Amino acid sequence: MIRISTIFIAICMVLVAASLGLVLYAVAGISGTESAIVALTALTFLILYNAVSMRLRDRNDVGGQIADLSRGTADLARQVAEFGRRLAAIEGRIASSNSTNSDRIQSVVGEINELGGLVRQLASTVSTHEDLLAGNAPAPAPAPIARQEPEAPIDLITAFDEQPAAPPPLPAAPPPPVAQPRPAPSIQAQTAPPVQTAGRNQTQLLATLRNAIDENRIDIFLQPMVTLPQRKVRFYEAVTRLRDERDQLVAAEEFISIAEASGLIGRIDNMVMLRCVQVLRRLMVRNKDVGVFCNVAASTLGNSTTFAQCLDFLEANRALAPSLVLEFKQSTFRNLGPAETENLAALAQRGFRFSIDHVTDLRIEPRELADRGVRFIKVPATLLLDPRQASASDIHPSDLSDLLGRFGIDLIAERIEGERAVVDLLDYDVRFGQGFLFAPPRPLRPEGASATGGASPNQAQDIQGSNGSAPPSQGTISAATSAAPPAQRITGNAALARRI
């Protein structure tokens, strides 16, 4: 709508132009046409002047309005940024709270699972005690015919999963096996340490070693490695034992040096590696997260012929690489030659992980070991807890686990024999432990041997029985037991004897 001031100005400009024309016509004597032209020209100039002045005034007004709008926009942007910062802080708090709650829930679930396992174990123990108190003496009778159970060898192994620490001996267990003299030797053979053979010279031990290799009398014992402080079985170490002609066990420390000197260590490593793979396949039927540590000698790593055979076998079982850990001595890694380095790289390229044992000092280079594929280092508990190591090594033992963890290496404390050592190791943030405190190395038995109790060591060959290369006595025993009636569920005294 046109403003009144604008109309008034327009009327005034018309009057001024008309007055100018009349003055020129009346006073100056100019004709009416010329006076009219002059008046229109003056009116045009007045209109243009007014339009320009109004435009300048409007421009100043618009400029002020734009400046005010810019200041308002800047204030609004600052407020939006502040709201965004507060929203981000709130989202961070919510995410942190959710993560904390999730971790707490996971820890609570883990503790509940542990309590569930302990409750099941307690219920089983209480049931066994009730059977014993009820005087259920005929219960051991089905034990000799329990050989038909196909899951018996796995039950022997998975006993560690249900109860990682070594089960304490129960005073009520020995009386029932006395009535049957056969079960007692088998039960004792599973927990007793290997018999130390005395009076052997190197020649006799070498002959015994050759005969044991030819007759397939190289056994492996499994010792669990447990998590700390939960004591859940996470890995097993395969420990080699040799049986002589009298079925007496010879520890690896007695014959390894002779085997390396005579060139037989390669054959032993091949046999042990084969059985480790077979045991690992049986373990992974029930637990995919389990792993087996297999010891490999330095001479095997440096011998091109022997290593080629091992590499071909491992290549065929490459799918088990995440669960099969090859273990070497610390001295082997410190004295690697070009051939050994190349062979290690070939194994690491195929996905196999390495472990170091027989550690004598804590001068460790974690970056170099991690580059070579080492993922575990086993250190004796006495060495970790030795106060003299703090000054003798580059790092304090309490910081060793954290240092190794930065490079993806787990520290395992081995040879743990007392609860006090476990408490001290927990202060060092050690995640895994191994030793007689948790469980001694236990032998593998053929199917049903853990329940029969009367099998001799010749009949205790586990792995070869599964691929058809068992000794003749094994086939005889299997044929004899196949004619027996099917085994029934073992309870009472027999179940107690089986757990010991």
Side-chain angles (χ1 to χ4, degrees), residues 136-417:
N136 193 5
I145 63 175
R147 191 181 183 85
Q148 289 292 329
E149 294 182 3
E151 293 295 328
I154 299 180
D155 289 341
L156 176 63
I157 298 170
T158 55
F160 293 117
D161 295 330
E162 298 173 359
Q163 188 176 358
L170 298 178
V178 173
Q180 295 185 4
R182 293 184 63 187
S186 175
I187 296 171
Q188 207 163 17
Q190 295 182 8
T191 57
V195 178
Q196 299 293 332
T197 58
R200 294 179 187 268
N201 55 34
Q202 291 189 357
T203 304
Q204 292 175 344
L205 192 55
L206 178 59
T208 301
L209 180 60
R210 292 183 184 275
N211 293 334
I213 295 175
D214 295 337
E215 297 176 8
N216 200 17
R217 284 189 275 106
I218 302 295
D219 297 338
I220 62 171
F221 285 47
L222 293 183
Q223 186 174 21
M225 304 177 199
V226 301
T227 60
L228 297 178
Q230 296 86 0
R231 304 194 182 188
K232 291 186 63 176
V233 174
R234 182 64 180 85
F235 305 101
Y236 293 95
E237 180 179 3
V239 182
T240 308
R241 296 287 184 264
L242 179 148
R243 283 186 292 111
D244 60 9
E245 296 81 359
R246 295 174 295 178
D247 285 333
Q248 291 183 340
L249 296 177
V250 181
E253 292 78 5
E254 297 186 23
F255 65 83
I256 286 296
S257 58
I258 298 177
E260 291 179 346
S262 60
L264 298 175
I265 190 65
R267 297 178 59 186
I268 295 177
D269 282 347
N270 279 329
M271 297 172 65
V272 172
M273 200 173 296
L274 168 66
R275 299 187 183 182
C276 286
V277 168
Q278 293 173 332
V279 169
L280 181 58
R281 289 187 182 276
R282 293 169 55 191
L283 287 172
M284 294 181 69
V285 171
R286 293 191 176 183
N287 186 3
K288 297 295 184 182
D289 296 331
V290 73
V292 173
F293 282 57
C294 180
N295 288 274
V296 181
S299 55
T300 301
L301 189 63
N303 190 314
S304 58
T305 303
T306 305
F307 179 78
Q309 297 174 358
C310 294
L311 187 61
D312 292 340
F313 175 74
L314 293 175
E315 177 71 25
N317 295 274
R318 193 170 181 176
L320 300 177
S323 301
L324 182 62
V325 182
L326 304 179
E327 192 165 76
F328 302 92
K329 295 182 180 179
Q330 186 185 36
S331 58
T332 301
F333 266 82
R334 288 184 172 177
N335 300 297
L336 289 176
E340 290 84 352
T341 304
E342 183 179 355
N343 293 338
L344 270 181
L347 291 173
Q349 185 179 6
R350 286 160 176 80
F352 289 93
R353 301 180 295 171
F354 307 134
S355 172
I356 295 180
D357 67 346
H358 290 78
V359 175
T360 56
D361 58 70
L362 299 182
R363 292 190 296 272
I364 298 172
E365 295 294 337
R367 185 185 300 276
E368 179 183 356
L369 296 179
D371 293 340
R372 293 185 182 274
V374 175
R375 293 297 177 265
F376 302 94
I377 294 181
K378 297 169 63 175
V379 181
T382 54
L383 184 63
L384 281 175
L385 301 177
D386 188 358
R388 294 173 296 180
Q389 291 297 323
S391 57
S393 59
D394 298 333
I395 186 172
H396 195 277
S398 60
D399 300 326
L400 182 60
S401 178
D402 182 61
L403 174 64
L404 296 176
R406 298 174 190 172
F407 297 93
I409 301 176
D410 288 322
L411 177 62
I412 302 176
E414 61 176 351
R415 305 176 192 173
I416 301 177
E417 299 181 357

Side-chain angles (χ1 to χ4, degrees), residues 31-116:
S31 64
T33 304
E34 292 176 350
S35 299
I37 293 173
V38 172
L40 290 175
T41 303
L43 179 62
T44 303
F45 278 109
L46 291 174
I47 292 173
L48 290 175
Y49 173 80
N50 182 64
V52 171
S53 61
M54 290 180 64
R55 179 64 57 86
L56 292 176
R57 186 170 60 251
D58 292 339
R59 180 177 296 177
N60 293 333
D61 295 338
V62 170
Q65 292 176 0
I66 292 175
D68 294 338
L69 183 62
S70 299
R71 286 191 293 271
T73 304
D75 294 339
L76 182 61
R78 284 193 294 271
Q79 293 178 5
V80 170
E82 180 66 18
F83 283 129
R85 186 186 63 79
R86 293 180 181 179
L87 182 61
I90 293 174
E91 289 177 350
R93 293 194 190 99
I94 293 175
S96 176
S97 176
N98 291 339
S99 177
T100 303
N101 292 337
S102 177
D103 294 340
R104 291 177 180 175
I105 291 174
Q106 291 295 333
S107 62
V108 171
V109 170
E111 293 295 333
I112 291 175
N113 292 336
E114 292 292 332
L115 291 175

